[in-house]
Amino acid sequence: MTWDTIALNDASHIPSVAFGTWRRGNGEEAIDIINSAFSVGFTHIDTAQAYRNEAEAGAALRASGLKRKDVMTDIDASIRNSCEALGVDYVDLYLIHGPKHAKPDIPTIWKKGEAIKESGLAKYMCPAGFESIGVSNFTVDLLKILLEFATNKPYVNQIMVHPQVMHLQMPVIEFCRKEGIVVEGYSPCLPLIHYVDGPVTAIAQQIARRLVLLAWAKSKGVVVITSSTKLERLKDYISAGDFELYTDDVKAIDAAGMSDPKELPS
Ligand SMILES: NC(=O)c1ccc[n+]([C@@H]2O[C@H](COP(=O)([O-])OP(=O)(O)OC[C@H]3O[C@@H](n4cnc5c(N)ncnc54)[C@H](OP(=O)(O)O)[C@@H]3O)[C@@H](O)[C@H]2O)c1
């Protein structure tokens, strides 16, 4: 599947997939992995002071050879320090990391946003007001408070998005959609890590197994013949055509097959 861009509410566009630097370490380790992200095609990077690797993100950005204008940068609080650490003159999107960072209150933090707009440190600060800054982890109620007095809407709300929190997040997503605020969803893979025995991991693994085996068969250069009584499954089969395994993955599946060989049916 191709990762397109998503339009912000001023009709500018941001890449619809981003590389986040949380838990990506420090020093060479962080620079290497951020470099790798740029090298495979990520052009949107999500950093935060709290992640303690903004300098590494800046070093990777400079080493990447990418032009500053071709990379999208999201950061949270303390913008001047972050710009210095990243070694950039501005960031594209300035996020208030969460409601608890909106201190002492939401109106005051938006005044801070206005000052940032005037400083030119955030590219999407627009003359009319606040629409260049985004928020993170804002609920519908908090967004309503913000919109009540904001001259313009925030560009984005960055929230956790995975299947086991959708009962909480769907109303936020719908509200943002209605208001023209782009939702950035973080931690989509969290169920695989934190709820390993849960139903989402089970279904994800079941689907992955199916898609992976079709992609593996395709990698052998054969015409893949499959079947199902279920329309949804047939759609999955078709979409698996976009899915390509790495050579090492194919080799790992080959080896697993050889380690447990079976006879052909008679
Ligand atoms: N605004 C906020 O409050 C906030 C909060 C959290 C995150 N974020 C942003 O969102 C970014 C992404 O968050 P995230 O790391 O939680 O995203 P994620 O996509 O849910 O998780 C990525 C992690 O999942 C692991 N993973 C992927 N598939 C797996 C599998 N099958 N089994 C076990 N582990 C698997 C990866 O491990 P490997 O490294 O081994 O591949 C990787 O470390 C962060 O870097 C940060 O920029 C923002």
Side-chain angles (χ1 to χ4, degrees), residues 8-10 12 14 72-75 79 90-96 110 112-135 146 150-157 180-181 184:
L8 296 175
N9 53 29
D10 72 344
S12 59
I14 61 170
M72 170 87 194
T73 44
D74 290 12
I75 67 160
I79 192 165
Y90 66 89
V91 298
D92 296 278
L93 199 54
Y94 173 74
L95 299 183
I96 292 164
W110 279 102
K112 183 181 158 194
E114 193 172 28
I116 289 165
K117 173 202 77 177
E118 280 158 17
S119 73
L121 286 170
K123 185 177 172 189
Y124 287 121
M125 291 288 167
C126 81
F130 304 107
E131 66 181 4
S132 45
I133 60 176
V135 291
L146 187 155
T151 313
N152 290 293
K153 294 169 186 174
Y155 273 88
V156 308
N157 184 20
I181 300 167
E184 293 186 341

Side-chain angles (χ1 to χ4, degrees), residues 20-24 46 51 136-137 158 186-189 193:
T21 61
W22 178 45
R23 296 186 301 200
R24 292 297 76 105
D46 185 67
Y51 304 161
S136 180
N137 301 311
Q158 186 180 107
Y186 65 77
S187 298
C189 302
I193 304 160

Side-chain angles (χ1 to χ4, degrees), residues 13 24-25 48 51 72 80 100-101 108 118 121 132 160 163 168 177 184 188 203 209-211 216 219 224 244 254 264:
H13 286 75
R24 292 297 76 105
Y51 304 161
M72 170 87 194
R80 197 172 295 279
K100 68 174 189 285
H101 295 264
T108 310
E118 280 158 17
L121 286 170
S132 45
M160 181 177 279
L168 302 170
R177 197 169 285 147
E184 293 186 341
I203 187 72
R209 273 197 292 272
R210 200 164 63 236
L211 298 185
W216 172 87
S219 78
V224 178
E244 218 164 304
D254 290 343
L264 290 171

Side-chain angles (χ1 to χ4, degrees), residues 45-231:
I45 182 160
D46 185 67
T47 72
Q49 267 194 349
Y51 304 161
R52 298 180 188 281
N53 52 21
E54 286 180 326
E56 286 84 343
L61 177 59
R62 285 186 293 282
S64 70
L66 290 164
K67 294 200 178 93
R68 175 67 191 85
K69 69 174 178 53
D70 294 330
V71 179
M72 170 87 194
T73 44
D74 290 12
I75 67 160
D76 77 334
S78 307
I79 192 165
R80 197 172 295 279
N81 293 341
S82 293
C83 282
E84 272 173 29
L86 281 161
V88 297
D89 298 333
Y90 66 89
V91 298
D92 296 278
L93 199 54
Y94 173 74
L95 299 183
I96 292 164
H97 201 69
K100 68 174 189 285
H101 295 264
K103 280 190 181 134
D105 49 40
I106 293 174
T108 310
I109 203 80
W110 279 102
K111 280 196 192 107
K112 183 181 158 194
E114 193 172 28
I116 289 165
K117 173 202 77 177
E118 280 158 17
S119 73
L121 286 170
K123 185 177 172 189
Y124 287 121
M125 291 288 167
C126 81
F130 304 107
E131 66 181 4
S132 45
I133 60 176
V135 291
S136 180
N137 301 311
F138 266 49
T139 59
V140 171
D141 286 347
L142 292 172
L143 286 168
K144 280 183 181 165
I145 294 173
L146 187 155
L147 292 177
E148 225 169 86
F149 57 81
T151 313
N152 290 293
K153 294 169 186 174
Y155 273 88
V156 308
N157 184 20
Q158 186 180 107
I159 59 172
M160 181 177 279
V161 173
H162 67 73
Q164 282 162 288
V165 292
M166 287 313 267
H167 61 296
L168 302 170
Q169 304 299 57
M170 208 53 223
V172 184
I173 292 171
E174 275 164 6
F175 183 83
C176 287
R177 197 169 285 147
K178 193 163 63 71
E179 295 292 341
I181 300 167
V182 166
V183 173
E184 293 186 341
Y186 65 77
S187 298
C189 302
L190 188 139
L192 299 176
I193 304 160
H194 290 295
Y195 312 124
V196 181
D197 298 324
V200 171
T201 298
I203 187 72
Q205 283 172 343
Q206 192 186 321
I207 293 168
R209 273 197 292 272
R210 200 164 63 236
L211 298 185
V212 162
L213 290 180
L214 287 182
W216 172 87
K218 189 174 145 215
S219 78
K220 298 297 167 197
V222 302
V223 173
V224 178
I225 304 181
T226 183
S227 184
S228 175
T229 54
K230 299 178 180 67
L231 183 63

